Amino acid sequence: MTATGKILLLHGGLLCVLFALQFVLPAYHHGNLARIMVLASYAVGYNILFGYTGLLSLGHALFFGAGMYGMGLSIQHLGFSPAPALLAGLIAGVAVSTIIGLLALRTVGVAFMIVTLMFAQAGYLTVLYFVDWTRGDEGFVIQQAQRILWGIDLSDPSNRYFAALLLFSISLLISLWLVRRPFGKTLVAIRENEERVRMLGYDIQAHKLGAVVISGTIAAVSGAVYGLLFGYVGASFTAVPHSILPLLYVLLGGTGTVLGPFVGTVFMFYLIDLSSGITTAHMLIAGVVLVAVTLFAPQGLVGELRRRLWRWLP
Amino acid sequence: MTLLSTRGLSKSFAGLQAVSGVDLDLRQGEVRALIGPNGAGKTTLVGMICGRITPTSGQVMFDGREITRLPAHKRMLMGMAYTFQITSVFTGLSVAENVTLAARRRVPHSGLSDAVTTALRRVGLSEHVEQEAGDLSYGHQRLLEIAMGLVQGPRLLILDEPTQGLTEAEVDRFKALIRELAGETTILLIEHNMSVVMETADRVTVLNFGEVLAEGTPDEVRANAEVQAAYLGGD
Ligand SMILES: Nc1ncnc2c1ncn2[C@@H]1O[C@H](COP(=O)(O)OP(=O)(O)OP(=O)(O)O)[C@@H](O)[C@H]1O
Ligand SMILES: [Mg+2]
């Protein structure tokens, strides 16, 4: 079988399995998996910038938050229905990521990390500041009646699962498509040797900006969908820990692999879930396992799989 | 017609004068060798020509346009191509993908695969098309680097010590390649191998301590006593 055939089979296979799982999973895991798929979409977006372009952002919660609040505020204050609200979240994502990209890409390396962190922190403080609109730290609930998209009640678990799967499928396919396109290949080349790519006549800044906008917009749409599916919009989603989360998912799953973000999200989600069932010091267990994975699979789980077995993995 | 000129081009690094006041004129289609001892400033000089290094002072003109402040990628789009002294092919990509990446900005999509095949044939890498670049021998990586320059169909091809690490047969093939390109492509060739310089260059510029020490035909330069003292004497 050709590499393309295998790639389609594997990724298509995963989506089919996820589709089928909703009929067999117990309610608890069913709900978890819906959440995981939305968070994994966020990580897929993060991976486009970090994994494929080599730019480490510490401020992706700003993009997630832009989508979440773009959606939530337009429902809450403008009376939007879910479809235009999601669109508002997407537009907010494009706008915020374009502006942040233009500003943050003036810096490189550690400065880029700090600048993205600072912008995200500014976003978080903005949410807290406009408390009349955002209800600050407390956040606000999106009522069941406001979550009906084209007659489909998104608070219903199976509809929610299906919507999460749809979002994840779209993100995964965009990511897969992108890395096989010339644009995606150029991003990988920039990650490997920026100077060399520049000397082949490529506009590095324009490519990086494109990567920030695509990555930020996927994060924003994930944020918007998250708020809509789980009915809550809160400041914690724009705070620093929420920027670190996709970084951990991607590192664990495998940077610069299409499947890595999903695998990392599942792994991390259940790691915390299981260890908190054993002890209250669950972050300790999670921490030890994370250190072990980084030691024994430095390229992440899918990265290791690619290195050892499946060289063709994108 | 003059394709490339520099006037008073200089660069200092924290007090070290790497290149000072270089005037250079390359005729369209000529093969110009740039020689000089280690640390003479050759790489720095071509770095300023292609936009990797910002000059401290002086000017660069290409194709009748002043390009001293033009970003590197735009110079490449004007028809320059640059190959690195330190091999920097993309080791994780296949040979063909490396050349495709190099070609994409300059070659229309429909002609891409032909252009890649031709460039690889010209440097003698046809049998390694699908191989991962990181698995190539050092000499083959040098040849790949040259193919990445060639495939862009440049008007000015800048080669920084392309024959370093090549076998004798590969060097012969390289000489033949340069002779093939001569006349259509203008070539600026930094080279330590004197047989390559003598057999391929129309003119030679000798750089020493950042300054032009001599310029002329290969024979004139070889006969120049100062050059012999500074450079050729040791060979
Ligand atoms: N980025 C830099 N910072 C400081 N000094 C530099 C830098 N690049 C080059 N130099 C110095 O400038 C001088 C000229 O270097 P350059 O690399 O241009 O020489 P070269 O003629 O290409 O030598 P070689 O034959 O060894 O390649 C050297 O003394 C070198 O150490
Ligand atoms: Mg040099």
Side-chain angles (χ1 to χ4, degrees):
Chain A
M1 195 189 291
T2 64
T4 305
K6 288 187 212 165
I7 289 165
L8 290 178
L9 193 70
L10 180 71
H11 295 81
L14 172 71
L15 295 179
C16 291
V17 168
L18 286 172
F19 181 81
L21 273 177
Q22 63 178 312
F23 303 112
V24 296
L25 280 181
Y28 176 67
H29 295 291
H30 184 272
N32 280 351
L33 198 53
R35 207 174 285 268
I36 285 172
M37 286 189 288
V38 181
L39 290 174
S41 307
Y42 178 28
V44 165
Y46 188 83
N47 190 36
I48 288 173
L49 192 63
F50 174 56
Y52 287 104
T53 319
L55 288 171
L56 201 162
S57 147
L58 291 180
H60 257 52
L62 179 64
F63 305 135
F64 191 89
M68 183 178 250
Y69 279 92
M71 178 282 300
L73 293 175
S74 61
I75 287 186
Q76 204 71 350
H77 297 288
L78 304 174
F80 277 25
S81 61
L86 284 175
L87 189 64
L90 184 144
I91 292 170
V94 173
V96 172
S97 55
T98 306
I99 294 167
I100 300 300
L102 285 171
L103 296 172
L105 286 173
R106 294 162 167 265
T107 62
V108 292
V110 176
F112 182 80
M113 293 159 54
I114 304 291
V115 167
T116 48
L117 180 72
M118 285 307 162
F119 276 122
Q121 195 62 10
Y124 174 61
L125 294 173
T126 307
V127 169
L128 294 185
Y129 183 78
F130 290 99
V131 67
D132 293 344
W133 292 84
T134 63
R135 311 258 328 256
D137 226 356
E138 204 178 299
F140 55 90
V141 168
I142 299 175
Q143 304 298 337
Q144 185 183 351
Q146 296 168 310
R147 288 157 67 193
I148 298 182
L149 175 67
W150 298 316
I152 303 164
D153 180 359
L154 292 177
S155 66
D156 168 73
S158 42
N159 292 342
R160 184 158 69 190
Y161 187 100
F162 198 75
L165 176 60
L166 190 65
L167 170 72
F168 177 65
S169 310
I170 293 172
S171 328
L172 190 78
L173 293 178
I174 288 178
S175 167
L176 191 59
W177 175 77
L178 192 71
V179 302
R180 293 165 61 78
R181 297 286 311 155
F183 180 76
K185 290 187 176 161
T186 308
L187 295 184
V188 173
I190 289 175
R191 178 190 74 194
E192 295 302 315
N193 190 342
E194 181 175 325
E195 181 65 4
R196 186 63 173 116
V197 180
R198 187 195 325 281
M199 298 316 289
L200 293 175
Y202 290 87
D203 186 341
I204 303 292
Q205 287 304 95
H207 278 77
K208 284 183 174 175
L209 181 63
V212 171
V213 173
I214 294 170
S215 170
T217 303
I218 294 177
V221 172
S222 308
V225 170
Y226 195 98
L228 200 58
L229 295 188
F230 302 102
Y232 172 70
V233 172
S236 63
F237 290 108
T238 67
V240 174
H242 204 66
S243 286
I244 307 296
L245 220 50
L247 172 62
L248 287 179
Y249 294 159
V250 168
L251 280 176
L252 276 177
T255 50
T257 62
V258 171
L259 286 181
F262 176 73
V263 172
T265 310
V266 173
F267 187 85
M268 181 90 176
F269 193 96
Y270 273 101
L271 182 62
I272 291 177
D273 191 64
L274 293 176
S275 55
S276 57
I278 302 171
T279 155
T280 48
H282 62 272
M283 281 316 278
L284 186 67
I285 298 187
V288 169
V289 175
L290 291 187
V291 170
V293 172
T294 9
L295 281 179
F296 297 109
Q299 307 193 13
L301 299 168
V302 178
E304 228 25 58
L305 190 67
R306 167 160 71 188
R307 193 172 67 83
R308 286 167 194 266
L309 288 176
W310 295 344
R311 296 292 303 261
W312 47 267
L313 270 182
Chain B
M1 185 203 138
T2 308
L3 183 66
L4 173 83
S5 355
T6 69
R7 287 293 170 268
L9 206 54
S10 309
K11 178 74 190 180
S12 59
F13 293 111
L16 175 98
Q17 194 68 33
V19 173
S20 54
V22 170
D23 296 347
L24 209 62
D25 287 287
L26 261 69
R27 222 174 10 82
Q28 173 98 49
E30 96 171 74
V31 177
R32 173 71 62 97
L34 185 60
I35 66 172
N38 290 112
K42 304 179 295 293
T43 300
T44 308
L45 175 61
V46 298
M48 291 189 283
I49 291 171
C50 68
R52 290 184 74 197
I53 300 174
T54 318
T56 316
S57 62
Q59 287 163 353
V60 184
M61 271 78 62
F62 182 70
D63 198 19
R65 215 179 123 190
E66 142 117 61
I67 58 161
T68 317
R69 302 265 161 260
L70 200 68
H73 72 270
K74 292 197 177 148
R75 301 189 198 197
M76 302 302 122
L77 297 183
M78 284 179 77
M80 285 191 190
Y82 176 79
T83 69
F84 284 57
Q85 175 170 10
I86 299 162
T87 311
S88 43
V89 298
F90 297 95
T91 50
L93 298 181
S94 75
V95 167
E97 282 173 323
N98 268 279
V99 183
T100 307
L101 189 70
R104 209 175 269 130
R105 289 277 113 171
R106 305 295 310 281
V107 182
H109 187 75
S110 56
L112 210 51
S113 77
D114 280 349
V116 170
T117 313
T118 311
L120 285 172
R121 183 170 43 71
R122 285 182 105 166
V123 299
L125 282 180
S126 294
E127 275 148 43
H128 302 273
V129 177
E130 290 308 325
Q131 209 169 327
E132 206 164 283
D135 296 340
L136 293 178
S137 69
Y138 180 76
H140 283 166
Q141 291 191 3
R142 296 296 311 165
L143 293 174
L144 175 56
E145 184 85 44
I146 296 166
M148 289 167 76
L150 272 187
V151 77
Q152 300 175 57
R155 301 174 61 198
L156 173 65
L157 177 60
I158 301 174
L159 299 161
D160 198 343
E161 300 197 19
T163 64
Q164 198 186 53
L166 297 193
T167 64
E168 221 160 290
E170 285 163 346
V171 171
D172 286 338
R173 189 181 183 118
F174 174 79
K175 290 177 190 165
L177 175 64
I178 296 299
R179 280 191 290 262
E180 238 177 271
L181 293 171
E184 38 167 325
T185 308
T186 311
I187 297 174
L188 181 55
L189 171 69
I190 299 181
E191 188 53 76
H192 275 302
N193 183 330
M194 287 323 284
S195 83
V196 175
V197 173
M198 292 300 155
E199 288 171 46
T200 62
D202 298 314
R203 293 179 71 76
V204 182
T205 299
V206 187
L207 215 57
N208 197 26
F209 294 114
E211 293 179 345
V212 176
L213 181 70
E215 192 181 306
T217 63
D219 290 329
E220 284 165 7
V221 165
R222 184 159 46 185
N224 184 312
E226 267 184 291
V227 175
Q228 284 177 359
Y231 184 53
L232 299 174
D235 264 355

